[in-house]
Amino acid sequence: MSDEGVKIGLETHVQLDTETKLFCDCPNNTEGTPAPNTSTCEICLGMPGSKPVPNQAVIDYALQTGLALDCAIHDSIVFSRKTYFYPDMSKNFQITQYEDPIARNGTVELDGMEIGIRRVHIEEDPAKLDHVGGSMDSANYTLVDYNRAGTPLLEIVTDPDFTAPEEARTYLQKLARIMQYLGAYDPERLTIKSDANVSVNGGNRVEIKNITGTREIEEALKHEIQRQRRAYRNGKDVPQETRNWDPDAGVTRSMRSKESEEDYGYIVEPDLIMIPVSEDAVQSADASLPELPDEKRSRFLEEHGIEKELADALITDPALADAFEESVEAVGADMAASWFSGPIKKTLNYHELTYTESPLRSAWIVTVLAKLDDGEISDQAAETVIRELVENPREPEAIIKEQGLEKAGGDEIQQFVEDVIEENPDAVDDYNSGDENAVNFLVGQVMQKSQGSADPKEARELLIEQLSS
Ligand SMILES: [Zn+2]
Protein backbone atom coordinates (compact mmCIF):
# COMPACT_ATOMS: atom_id res chain seq x y z
CA MET A 1 0.00 0.00 0.00
CA SER A 2 2.84 2.44 0.78
CA ASP A 3 3.92 4.88 -1.87
CA GLU A 4 7.73 5.18 -2.19
CA GLY A 5 9.13 8.34 -0.57
CA VAL A 6 5.76 9.87 0.30
CA LYS A 7 5.18 11.59 3.65
CA ILE A 8 1.76 12.84 4.66
CA GLY A 9 0.54 14.46 7.86
CA LEU A 10 -3.02 15.57 8.56
CA GLU A 11 -4.63 18.38 10.53
CA THR A 12 -8.30 17.53 10.88
CA HIS A 13 -11.13 19.72 12.14
CA VAL A 14 -14.17 17.88 13.43
CA GLN A 15 -17.40 19.77 14.18
CA LEU A 16 -18.66 18.72 17.60
CA ASP A 17 -22.21 17.60 18.30
CA THR A 18 -23.13 19.89 21.21
CA GLU A 19 -26.36 21.74 21.96
CA THR A 20 -24.70 25.13 22.20
CA LYS A 21 -21.66 26.96 20.85
CA LEU A 22 -18.21 26.88 22.46
CA PHE A 23 -18.41 30.04 24.59
CA CYS A 24 -22.07 31.14 24.57
CA ASP A 25 -25.61 29.74 24.75
CA CYS A 26 -26.39 30.18 21.04
CA PRO A 27 -27.54 26.92 19.45
CA ASN A 28 -24.88 24.90 17.64
CA ASN A 29 -25.16 23.29 14.21
CA THR A 30 -28.02 25.34 12.90
CA GLU A 31 -26.42 26.04 9.52
CA GLY A 32 -29.06 26.90 6.94
CA THR A 33 -31.80 27.11 9.58
CA PRO A 34 -32.68 29.52 11.08
CA ALA A 35 -32.06 32.55 8.85
CA PRO A 36 -28.41 33.67 8.54
CA ASN A 37 -27.04 35.80 11.39
CA THR A 38 -29.94 35.13 13.77
CA SER A 39 -28.16 32.48 15.88
CA THR A 40 -25.72 34.98 17.34
CA CYS A 41 -25.11 36.99 20.49
CA GLU A 42 -22.63 39.54 21.82
CA ILE A 43 -20.19 36.74 22.80
CA CYS A 44 -19.93 34.92 19.46
CA LEU A 45 -19.88 38.26 17.63
CA GLY A 46 -17.10 39.43 19.98
CA MET A 47 -18.70 42.68 21.12
CA PRO A 48 -16.64 44.75 23.56
CA GLY A 49 -17.29 43.80 27.17
CA SER A 50 -18.73 40.36 26.38
CA LYS A 51 -17.23 37.45 28.30
CA PRO A 52 -16.83 33.94 26.87
CA VAL A 53 -17.88 31.01 29.13
CA PRO A 54 -16.48 27.57 28.16
CA ASN A 55 -18.99 24.86 27.29
CA GLN A 56 -18.36 21.85 29.57
CA ALA A 57 -19.69 19.41 26.95
CA VAL A 58 -16.90 20.47 24.57
CA ILE A 59 -14.27 19.93 27.25
CA ASP A 60 -15.73 16.48 28.03
CA TYR A 61 -15.69 15.42 24.36
CA ALA A 62 -12.14 16.74 23.92
CA LEU A 63 -10.98 14.83 26.97
CA GLN A 64 -12.65 11.61 25.84
CA THR A 65 -11.28 11.97 22.31
CA GLY A 66 -7.79 12.51 23.68
CA LEU A 67 -8.09 9.37 25.81
CA ALA A 68 -9.59 7.33 22.96
CA LEU A 69 -6.53 8.29 20.87
CA ASP A 70 -4.16 7.19 23.67
CA CYS A 71 -2.95 10.72 24.34
CA ALA A 72 -1.43 12.26 27.43
CA ILE A 73 -3.86 14.80 28.91
CA HIS A 74 -2.53 18.22 29.89
CA ASP A 75 -3.14 19.21 33.50
CA SER A 76 -5.03 22.35 32.56
CA ILE A 77 -7.02 23.88 29.74
CA VAL A 78 -5.62 27.15 28.46
CA PHE A 79 -7.07 29.14 25.59
CA SER A 80 -5.20 31.55 23.32
CA ARG A 81 -6.15 34.23 20.84
CA LYS A 82 -4.94 33.72 17.31
CA THR A 83 -5.01 37.17 15.80
CA TYR A 84 -5.97 37.70 12.21
CA PHE A 85 -8.08 40.15 10.26
CA TYR A 86 -10.70 38.58 8.01
CA PRO A 87 -14.47 39.05 7.64
CA ASP A 88 -15.22 35.52 8.90
CA MET A 89 -14.11 36.51 12.42
CA SER A 90 -15.77 39.73 13.57
CA LYS A 91 -13.60 40.09 16.69
CA ASN A 92 -10.37 39.75 14.63
CA PHE A 93 -9.08 36.83 16.62
CA GLN A 94 -10.00 33.18 16.97
CA ILE A 95 -10.04 31.50 20.38
CA THR A 96 -7.99 28.33 20.16
CA GLN A 97 -5.37 26.40 22.11
CA TYR A 98 -1.73 26.99 21.21
CA GLU A 99 1.17 26.13 23.53
CA ASP A 100 -0.62 23.56 25.63
CA PRO A 101 -3.28 21.57 23.80
CA ILE A 102 -5.67 19.52 25.95
CA ALA A 103 -4.11 16.27 24.65
CA ARG A 104 -0.88 15.24 22.91
CA ASN A 105 1.38 12.29 22.03
CA GLY A 106 -1.23 9.70 21.12
CA THR A 107 -1.43 6.91 18.57
CA VAL A 108 -3.95 5.37 16.23
CA GLU A 109 -3.45 1.80 15.11
CA LEU A 110 -4.01 1.34 11.39
CA ASP A 111 -3.80 -2.17 9.95
CA GLY A 112 -0.64 -2.93 11.89
CA MET A 113 1.00 0.50 11.49
CA GLU A 114 0.98 3.20 14.15
CA ILE A 115 0.02 6.78 13.31
CA GLY A 116 1.31 9.32 15.83
CA ILE A 117 -1.17 11.87 17.16
CA ARG A 118 0.79 15.04 17.81
CA ARG A 119 -1.97 17.05 19.45
CA VAL A 120 -5.70 17.44 20.00
CA HIS A 121 -7.00 20.92 20.73
CA ILE A 122 -10.25 22.83 21.08
CA GLU A 123 -11.03 25.87 18.93
CA GLU A 124 -13.94 27.91 17.65
CA ASP A 125 -15.08 27.82 14.04
CA PRO A 126 -15.22 31.14 12.19
CA ALA A 127 -18.29 32.37 10.31
CA LYS A 128 -19.28 30.97 6.97
CA LEU A 129 -18.53 32.96 3.81
CA ASP A 130 -20.89 32.50 0.90
CA HIS A 131 -19.22 33.56 -2.36
CA VAL A 132 -22.25 34.35 -4.50
CA GLY A 133 -21.96 33.64 -8.20
CA GLY A 134 -18.55 31.97 -8.15
CA SER A 135 -15.48 31.09 -6.14
CA MET A 136 -13.48 33.34 -3.84
CA ASP A 137 -11.79 34.96 -6.87
CA SER A 138 -14.73 35.18 -9.24
CA ALA A 139 -17.79 35.83 -7.00
CA ASN A 140 -19.95 38.90 -7.61
CA TYR A 141 -20.12 39.51 -3.88
CA THR A 142 -19.69 37.60 -0.64
CA LEU A 143 -22.17 37.11 2.20
CA VAL A 144 -21.18 36.32 5.79
CA ASP A 145 -23.24 34.07 8.08
CA TYR A 146 -22.19 34.35 11.73
CA ASN A 147 -24.44 31.47 12.81
CA ARG A 148 -21.37 29.25 12.53
CA ALA A 149 -19.07 31.70 14.35
CA GLY A 150 -18.04 30.33 17.73
CA THR A 151 -19.24 26.77 17.14
CA PRO A 152 -16.90 24.13 18.62
CA LEU A 153 -14.23 22.27 16.68
CA LEU A 154 -11.70 19.69 17.71
CA GLU A 155 -8.45 19.86 15.77
CA ILE A 156 -6.49 16.61 15.61
CA VAL A 157 -2.95 16.78 14.23
CA THR A 158 -1.01 13.67 13.21
CA ASP A 159 2.70 13.11 12.72
CA PRO A 160 3.72 12.81 9.05
CA ASP A 161 3.36 9.02 9.31
CA PHE A 162 1.16 8.25 6.31
CA THR A 163 2.95 6.86 3.27
CA ALA A 164 -0.04 6.59 0.92
CA PRO A 165 -3.36 8.39 0.27
CA GLU A 166 -5.37 5.23 1.13
CA GLU A 167 -3.89 5.23 4.63
CA ALA A 168 -5.03 8.82 5.17
CA ARG A 169 -8.56 7.88 4.13
CA THR A 170 -8.64 4.80 6.40
CA TYR A 171 -7.39 6.93 9.29
CA LEU A 172 -10.08 9.59 8.77
CA GLN A 173 -12.79 6.94 8.62
CA LYS A 174 -11.47 5.46 11.83
CA LEU A 175 -11.20 8.84 13.58
CA ALA A 176 -14.76 9.76 12.52
CA ARG A 177 -16.04 6.41 13.79
CA ILE A 178 -14.30 6.74 17.15
CA MET A 179 -15.80 10.20 17.63
CA GLN A 180 -19.19 8.92 16.52
CA TYR A 181 -18.98 6.19 19.18
CA LEU A 182 -18.18 8.90 21.75
CA GLY A 183 -21.29 10.81 20.68
CA ALA A 184 -19.01 13.76 19.84
CA TYR A 185 -19.62 13.67 16.10
CA ASP A 186 -22.59 12.91 13.85
CA PRO A 187 -21.54 12.01 10.30
CA GLU A 188 -25.03 12.79 8.95
CA ARG A 189 -25.16 16.39 10.09
CA LEU A 190 -21.63 17.55 10.78
CA THR A 191 -18.48 17.94 8.74
CA ILE A 192 -14.93 16.83 9.07
CA LYS A 193 -12.33 18.85 7.16
CA SER A 194 -8.64 18.29 6.78
CA ASP A 195 -5.52 20.15 5.74
CA ALA A 196 -2.76 17.82 4.56
CA ASN A 197 1.01 18.29 4.48
CA VAL A 198 2.54 16.35 1.61
CA SER A 199 6.12 15.86 0.45
CA VAL A 200 7.80 13.36 -1.85
CA ASN A 201 11.42 12.17 -1.79
CA GLY A 202 12.42 14.51 1.03
CA GLY A 203 11.38 17.60 -0.93
CA ASN A 204 9.53 20.68 0.31
CA ARG A 205 6.33 20.29 2.25
CA VAL A 206 3.18 21.53 0.52
CA GLU A 207 0.04 22.18 2.53
CA ILE A 208 -3.31 21.37 0.94
CA LYS A 209 -6.22 23.24 2.52
CA ASN A 210 -9.87 22.44 2.98
CA ILE A 211 -10.35 18.83 2.04
CA THR A 212 -13.86 17.87 3.10
CA GLY A 213 -14.96 14.47 4.34
CA THR A 214 -13.28 11.11 4.50
CA ARG A 215 -13.35 10.19 0.80
CA GLU A 216 -12.08 13.35 -0.89
CA ILE A 217 -8.81 13.10 1.02
CA GLU A 218 -7.60 10.19 -1.08
CA GLU A 219 -8.28 11.92 -4.37
CA ALA A 220 -6.73 15.21 -3.29
CA LEU A 221 -3.57 13.48 -2.05
CA LYS A 222 -3.22 11.30 -5.14
CA HIS A 223 -3.43 14.36 -7.33
CA GLU A 224 -0.91 16.33 -5.28
CA ILE A 225 1.61 13.47 -5.18
CA GLN A 226 1.40 13.14 -8.96
CA ARG A 227 1.87 16.88 -9.38
CA GLN A 228 5.00 16.92 -7.20
CA ARG A 229 6.46 13.81 -8.89
CA ARG A 230 5.89 15.33 -12.31
CA ALA A 231 7.66 18.55 -11.27
CA TYR A 232 10.74 16.65 -10.02
CA ARG A 233 10.82 14.46 -13.14
CA ASN A 234 10.86 17.62 -15.27
CA GLY A 235 13.77 19.00 -13.25
CA LYS A 236 11.63 21.63 -11.54
CA ASP A 237 11.52 22.51 -7.88
CA VAL A 238 8.44 22.11 -5.67
CA PRO A 239 8.20 25.31 -3.61
CA GLN A 240 6.96 25.24 -0.02
CA GLU A 241 3.49 26.72 -0.27
CA THR A 242 -0.17 26.41 0.61
CA ARG A 243 -2.52 25.11 -2.05
CA ASN A 244 -6.29 24.88 -2.18
CA TRP A 245 -8.08 21.68 -3.20
CA ASP A 246 -10.79 22.17 -5.81
CA PRO A 247 -12.92 18.99 -5.71
CA ASP A 248 -14.96 19.89 -8.80
CA ALA A 249 -11.91 20.37 -11.01
CA GLY A 250 -9.95 17.63 -9.19
CA VAL A 251 -6.84 19.84 -8.87
CA THR A 252 -4.91 21.74 -6.21
CA ARG A 253 -4.17 25.43 -6.84
CA SER A 254 -1.55 27.68 -5.33
CA MET A 255 -2.95 29.99 -2.63
CA ARG A 256 0.06 31.60 -0.99
CA SER A 257 3.57 30.87 0.10
CA LYS A 258 3.38 29.12 3.44
CA GLU A 259 3.02 31.36 6.47
CA SER A 260 4.38 30.06 9.73
CA GLU A 261 2.53 29.91 13.03
CA GLU A 262 4.74 32.77 14.25
CA ASP A 263 3.11 35.01 11.65
CA TYR A 264 -0.04 34.96 13.76
CA GLY A 265 0.14 36.88 16.99
CA TYR A 266 -0.79 34.38 19.70
CA ILE A 267 -1.54 35.65 23.17
CA VAL A 268 -3.12 33.84 26.09
CA GLU A 269 -6.86 34.67 26.08
CA PRO A 270 -7.24 37.15 28.96
CA ASP A 271 -11.03 36.66 29.29
CA LEU A 272 -10.76 32.94 30.10
CA ILE A 273 -9.17 31.61 33.24
CA MET A 274 -7.08 28.47 33.21
CA ILE A 275 -9.23 25.41 33.94
CA PRO A 276 -7.39 22.73 35.93
CA VAL A 277 -7.82 19.12 34.81
CA SER A 278 -7.29 16.87 37.82
CA GLU A 279 -5.99 13.31 37.75
CA ASP A 280 -9.44 12.26 39.07
CA ALA A 281 -11.21 13.99 36.20
CA VAL A 282 -8.99 12.17 33.70
CA GLN A 283 -9.60 8.83 35.41
CA SER A 284 -13.34 9.27 35.51
CA ALA A 285 -13.39 10.34 31.84
CA ASP A 286 -11.38 7.23 31.02
CA ALA A 287 -13.79 5.04 33.00
CA SER A 288 -16.76 6.59 31.18
CA LEU A 289 -15.43 5.80 27.69
CA PRO A 290 -17.84 3.57 25.78
CA GLU A 291 -16.67 0.43 24.02
CA LEU A 292 -14.71 1.76 21.02
CA PRO A 293 -14.84 0.33 17.48
CA ASP A 294 -11.64 -1.75 17.73
CA GLU A 295 -12.72 -3.24 21.05
CA LYS A 296 -16.15 -4.02 19.67
CA ARG A 297 -14.63 -5.77 16.65
CA SER A 298 -12.34 -7.90 18.84
CA ARG A 299 -15.22 -8.81 21.11
CA PHE A 300 -17.48 -9.74 18.15
CA LEU A 301 -14.75 -12.02 16.79
CA GLU A 302 -14.17 -13.67 20.12
CA GLU A 303 -17.65 -13.80 21.60
CA HIS A 304 -19.71 -14.47 18.48
CA GLY A 305 -17.07 -16.21 16.37
CA ILE A 306 -18.06 -14.33 13.22
CA GLU A 307 -15.82 -13.50 10.25
CA LYS A 308 -13.68 -10.37 10.43
CA GLU A 309 -15.23 -8.86 7.30
CA LEU A 310 -18.71 -9.16 8.78
CA ALA A 311 -17.51 -7.65 12.07
CA ASP A 312 -15.94 -4.75 10.13
CA ALA A 313 -19.26 -4.08 8.40
CA LEU A 314 -21.23 -4.27 11.65
CA ILE A 315 -19.10 -1.82 13.63
CA THR A 316 -19.46 0.98 11.05
CA ASP A 317 -22.75 1.93 12.72
CA PRO A 318 -22.92 1.55 16.52
CA ALA A 319 -26.73 1.25 16.56
CA LEU A 320 -26.59 -1.44 13.86
CA ALA A 321 -24.02 -3.29 15.95
CA ASP A 322 -26.33 -3.12 18.99
CA ALA A 323 -29.30 -4.40 17.01
CA PHE A 324 -27.14 -7.25 15.69
CA GLU A 325 -26.31 -8.29 19.24
CA GLU A 326 -29.97 -8.15 20.26
CA SER A 327 -30.86 -10.71 17.60
CA VAL A 328 -27.93 -13.07 18.24
CA GLU A 329 -29.72 -14.84 21.06
CA ALA A 330 -32.82 -15.51 18.99
CA VAL A 331 -31.30 -16.70 15.73
CA GLY A 332 -27.61 -17.31 16.39
CA ALA A 333 -24.58 -15.20 15.53
CA ASP A 334 -23.97 -16.51 12.01
CA MET A 335 -27.42 -15.77 10.70
CA ALA A 336 -27.65 -12.43 12.52
CA ALA A 337 -24.20 -11.32 11.29
CA SER A 338 -24.85 -12.24 7.68
CA TRP A 339 -28.24 -10.51 7.60
CA PHE A 340 -27.17 -7.36 9.46
CA SER A 341 -23.98 -6.90 7.44
CA GLY A 342 -25.74 -8.00 4.22
CA PRO A 343 -29.38 -7.31 3.26
CA ILE A 344 -30.18 -5.01 6.21
CA LYS A 345 -27.12 -2.80 5.73
CA LYS A 346 -27.62 -2.83 1.95
CA THR A 347 -31.21 -1.62 2.32
CA LEU A 348 -30.13 1.15 4.70
CA ASN A 349 -27.31 2.23 2.36
CA TYR A 350 -29.72 2.29 -0.58
CA HIS A 351 -31.96 4.71 1.32
CA GLU A 352 -28.95 6.57 2.74
CA LEU A 353 -30.12 5.95 6.29
CA THR A 354 -28.29 5.01 9.44
CA TYR A 355 -29.91 2.33 11.59
CA THR A 356 -31.11 4.97 14.06
CA GLU A 357 -32.64 7.11 11.34
CA SER A 358 -34.47 4.17 9.84
CA PRO A 359 -37.79 2.90 11.21
CA LEU A 360 -36.27 -0.56 11.84
CA ARG A 361 -36.71 -2.12 15.27
CA SER A 362 -34.67 -5.05 16.44
CA ALA A 363 -37.81 -6.92 17.58
CA TRP A 364 -39.14 -6.83 14.00
CA ILE A 365 -35.86 -8.11 12.60
CA VAL A 366 -35.78 -10.91 15.15
CA THR A 367 -39.31 -11.90 14.06
CA VAL A 368 -38.30 -12.00 10.37
CA LEU A 369 -35.07 -13.93 10.97
CA ALA A 370 -36.79 -16.39 13.31
CA LYS A 371 -39.41 -17.12 10.63
CA LEU A 372 -36.63 -17.60 8.11
CA ASP A 373 -34.81 -19.89 10.53
CA ASP A 374 -37.97 -21.96 11.08
CA GLY A 375 -38.47 -22.33 7.34
CA GLU A 376 -41.74 -20.35 7.35
CA ILE A 377 -40.45 -17.86 4.79
CA SER A 378 -37.74 -18.01 2.11
CA ASP A 379 -34.57 -15.88 1.94
CA GLN A 380 -36.13 -13.89 -0.84
CA ALA A 381 -39.29 -13.26 1.18
CA ALA A 382 -37.21 -12.20 4.21
CA GLU A 383 -35.42 -9.63 2.05
CA THR A 384 -38.75 -8.34 0.78
CA VAL A 385 -40.04 -7.93 4.35
CA ILE A 386 -36.90 -6.05 5.39
CA ARG A 387 -37.18 -3.67 2.44
CA GLU A 388 -40.83 -3.13 3.30
CA LEU A 389 -40.02 -2.52 6.99
CA VAL A 390 -37.75 0.36 5.92
CA GLU A 391 -39.95 1.78 3.17
CA ASN A 392 -43.43 1.32 4.62
CA PRO A 393 -42.98 0.20 8.23
CA ARG A 394 -45.57 -2.01 9.94
CA GLU A 395 -45.60 -5.33 11.79
CA PRO A 396 -43.65 -7.96 9.81
CA GLU A 397 -46.48 -10.51 10.25
CA ALA A 398 -48.84 -8.08 8.51
CA ILE A 399 -46.43 -7.67 5.58
CA ILE A 400 -46.02 -11.43 5.23
CA LYS A 401 -49.79 -11.94 5.24
CA GLU A 402 -50.63 -9.07 2.88
CA GLN A 403 -48.03 -10.06 0.34
CA GLY A 404 -48.59 -13.80 0.66
CA LEU A 405 -44.95 -14.35 1.54
CA GLU A 406 -45.41 -17.45 3.63
CA LYS A 407 -43.56 -20.35 2.12
CA ALA A 408 -45.71 -22.35 -0.22
CA GLY A 409 -46.52 -25.85 0.95
CA GLY A 410 -45.49 -28.97 -0.98
CA ASP A 411 -48.83 -29.28 -2.82
CA GLU A 412 -48.76 -25.65 -3.89
CA ILE A 413 -45.24 -25.93 -5.26
CA GLN A 414 -46.21 -29.11 -7.07
CA GLN A 415 -49.01 -27.17 -8.76
CA PHE A 416 -46.64 -24.32 -9.73
CA VAL A 417 -44.18 -26.83 -11.16
CA GLU A 418 -46.85 -28.53 -13.24
CA ASP A 419 -48.12 -25.18 -14.55
CA VAL A 420 -44.62 -24.00 -15.44
CA ILE A 421 -43.83 -27.23 -17.33
CA GLU A 422 -47.05 -26.92 -19.28
CA GLU A 423 -46.48 -23.23 -20.12
CA ASN A 424 -42.84 -23.59 -21.22
CA PRO A 425 -42.58 -26.44 -23.73
CA ASP A 426 -39.45 -24.95 -25.37
CA ALA A 427 -37.49 -24.99 -22.13
CA VAL A 428 -38.71 -28.53 -21.44
CA ASP A 429 -37.47 -29.60 -24.91
CA ASP A 430 -34.12 -27.93 -24.24
CA TYR A 431 -33.82 -29.84 -20.96
CA ASN A 432 -34.75 -33.13 -22.57
CA SER A 433 -32.11 -32.60 -25.26
CA GLY A 434 -29.43 -32.23 -22.58
CA ASP A 435 -29.41 -28.50 -21.78
CA GLU A 436 -29.13 -28.55 -17.98
CA ASN A 437 -29.35 -24.75 -17.80
CA ALA A 438 -32.98 -24.92 -18.90
CA VAL A 439 -33.80 -26.05 -15.39
CA ASN A 440 -32.53 -22.75 -13.95
CA PHE A 441 -34.93 -20.90 -16.18
CA LEU A 442 -37.81 -23.11 -15.06
CA VAL A 443 -36.91 -22.66 -11.37
CA GLY A 444 -37.01 -18.90 -12.00
CA GLN A 445 -40.49 -19.27 -13.48
CA VAL A 446 -41.69 -21.19 -10.43
CA MET A 447 -40.25 -18.55 -8.12
CA GLN A 448 -42.00 -15.82 -10.09
CA LYS A 449 -45.31 -17.65 -10.11
CA SER A 450 -45.09 -18.22 -6.35
CA GLN A 451 -44.00 -14.60 -5.78
CA GLY A 452 -40.96 -15.85 -3.95
CA SER A 453 -42.88 -18.11 -1.57
CA ALA A 454 -41.51 -21.33 -3.04
CA ASP A 455 -38.26 -22.72 -1.75
CA PRO A 456 -35.96 -22.71 -4.81
CA LYS A 457 -34.22 -25.93 -3.74
CA GLU A 458 -37.50 -27.75 -3.37
CA ALA A 459 -38.74 -26.33 -6.69
CA ARG A 460 -35.61 -27.58 -8.46
CA GLU A 461 -35.94 -31.08 -7.03
CA LEU A 462 -39.62 -31.29 -7.98
CA LEU A 463 -38.92 -29.99 -11.50
CA ILE A 464 -36.16 -32.51 -12.16
CA GLU A 465 -38.30 -35.31 -10.74
CA GLN A 466 -41.23 -34.28 -12.93
CA LEU A 467 -39.10 -33.80 -16.09
CA SER A 468 -37.39 -37.16 -15.76
CA SER A 469 -40.60 -39.10 -15.24
ZN1 LIG B 1 -23.55 33.41 20.72
Side-chain angles (χ1 to χ4, degrees):
M1 188 143 111
S2 97
D3 209 341
E4 192 76 38
V6 169
K7 256 186 169 180
I8 302 164
L10 295 182
E11 287 179 26
T12 303
H13 292 96
V14 184
Q15 287 187 323
L16 293 180
D17 191 9
T18 56
E19 294 287 317
T20 54
K21 292 187 181 182
L22 178 48
F23 296 114
C24 63
D25 286 333
C26 291
N28 181 23
N29 304 319
T30 53
E31 230 170 85
T33 50
N37 297 307
T38 56
S39 224
T40 56
C41 69
E42 62 274 17
I43 296 172
C44 53
L45 291 174
M47 290 181 181
S50 65
K51 289 263 191 232
V53 181
N55 181 344
Q56 186 61 41
V58 174
I59 294 172
D60 292 344
Y61 283 147
L63 199 56
Q64 288 198 318
T65 304
L67 291 167
L69 301 177
D70 274 332
C71 290
I73 304 297
H74 193 64
D75 61 10
S76 62
I77 293 168
V78 185
F79 289 102
S80 294
R81 291 182 175 184
K82 177 180 181 176
T83 306
Y84 70 91
F85 180 76
Y86 204 63
D88 68 1
M89 197 46 98
S90 56
K91 51 186 191 258
N92 294 334
F93 59 83
Q94 177 186 28
I95 305 179
T96 179
Q97 294 193 284
Y98 185 50
E99 283 93 347
D100 291 314
I102 183 164
R104 58 182 10 143
N105 297 332
T107 48
V108 168
E109 214 258 3
L110 215 62
D111 298 326
M113 70 188 285
E114 289 213 330
I115 303 300
I117 300 293
R118 194 170 280 180
R119 56 187 281 148
V120 175
H121 74 248
I122 301 166
E123 69 182 27
E124 58 179 343
D125 211 355
K128 191 177 179 188
L129 297 181
D130 184 6
H131 303 292
V132 178
S135 65
M136 201 194 288
D137 307 323
S138 62
N140 298 325
Y141 56 93
T142 296
L143 298 170
V144 191
D145 181 2
Y146 285 101
N147 285 356
R148 198 181 71 185
T151 59
L153 296 175
L154 216 55
E155 179 171 328
I156 297 121
V157 183
T158 73
D159 287 323
D161 289 344
F162 303 102
T163 59
E166 297 83 355
E167 293 165 5
R169 189 202 53 201
T170 311
Y171 158 79
L172 281 187
Q173 286 170 334
K174 183 160 188 177
L175 175 67
R177 192 166 303 140
I178 289 171
M179 292 187 67
Q180 188 189 354
Y181 270 58
L182 295 174
Y185 170 69
D186 178 352
E188 300 304 312
R189 294 185 299 117
L190 304 175
T191 51
I192 183 165
K193 262 189 204 169
S194 303
D195 301 338
N197 286 299
V198 194
S199 67
V200 302
N201 302 330
N204 278 324
R205 234 161 27 116
V206 174
E207 186 179 27
I208 316 294
K209 283 275 186 198
N210 287 323
I211 311 166
T212 307
T214 54
R215 284 193 206 131
E216 238 173 60
I217 192 87
E218 191 174 345
E219 208 191 326
L221 288 171
K222 273 186 180 156
H223 171 86
E224 178 58 22
I225 291 165
Q226 269 173 14
R227 188 190 71 85
Q228 293 187 21
R229 286 238 162 92
R230 203 160 43 233
Y232 289 126
R233 257 202 316 275
N234 295 336
K236 288 186 196 143
D237 204 23
V238 171
Q240 179 169 336
E241 62 174 348
T242 300
R243 297 177 71 85
N244 199 27
W245 165 244
D246 178 344
D248 298 322
V251 295
T252 61
R253 292 200 183 90
S254 183
M255 278 170 81
R256 54 175 183 256
S257 60
K258 174 98 175 94
E259 79 279 10
S260 64
E261 284 299 319
E262 292 78 47
D263 292 342
Y264 294 106
Y266 281 95
I267 57 163
V268 169
E269 167 61 64
D271 282 339
L272 286 161
I273 51 162
M274 186 191 84
I275 306 165
V277 179
S278 68
E279 195 55 45
D280 281 355
V282 175
Q283 270 171 16
S284 84
D286 200 31
S288 74
L289 286 181
E291 182 178 45
L292 294 169
D294 279 355
E295 296 161 1
K296 203 183 269 301
R297 183 196 295 103
S298 307
R299 187 170 62 77
F300 279 7
L301 297 181
E302 206 169 297
E303 208 168 286
H304 302 308
I306 59 175
E307 282 172 42
K308 184 175 171 294
E309 270 163 40
L310 300 187
D312 282 341
L314 291 171
I315 63 161
T316 55
D317 179 347
L320 182 84
D322 288 347
F324 153 73
E325 290 211 277
E326 282 166 35
S327 65
V328 164
E329 206 172 312
V331 298
D334 286 344
M335 180 181 253
S338 77
W339 278 79
F340 273 90
S341 65
I344 294 170
K345 193 162 194 260
K346 216 164 65 191
T347 307
L348 293 175
N349 288 347
Y350 177 78
H351 291 284
E352 295 183 1
L353 292 171
T354 62
Y355 186 83
T356 311
E357 289 168 330
S358 83
L360 288 177
R361 298 180 199 163
S362 54
W364 286 350
I365 296 171
V366 166
T367 302
V368 177
L369 296 184
K371 282 183 182 297
L372 173 66
D373 202 30
D374 291 345
E376 289 176 43
I377 56 173
S378 67
D379 279 38
Q380 202 181 339
E383 280 194 44
T384 305
V385 180
I386 285 178
R387 267 202 305 278
E388 200 62 21
L389 286 173
V390 173
E391 287 163 15
N392 185 13
R394 55 205 195 280
E395 292 295 326
E397 286 92 343
I399 299 170
I400 291 168
K401 207 165 171 197
E402 278 163 39
Q403 306 208 357
L405 293 172
E406 242 170 273
K407 226 187 225 175
D411 293 352
E412 270 178 283
I413 302 181
Q414 182 65 33
Q415 190 58 51
F416 290 135
V417 165
E418 282 171 20
D419 291 351
V420 161
I421 288 178
E422 200 177 306
E423 289 160 18
N424 297 280
D426 290 351
V428 172
D429 283 349
D430 288 347
Y431 179 78
N432 287 334
S433 51
D435 180 3
E436 303 252 323
N437 284 329
V439 118
N440 296 333
F441 169 78
L442 292 169
V443 171
Q445 295 299 303
V446 173
M447 293 310 292
Q448 213 170 51
K449 223 177 227 311
S450 72
Q451 291 179 314
S453 67
D455 175 18
K457 228 169 92 187
E458 199 179 343
R460 175 178 298 271
E461 282 164 11
L462 282 172
L463 271 165
I464 292 174
E465 194 184 300
Q466 195 89 356
L467 289 168
S468 340
S469 65

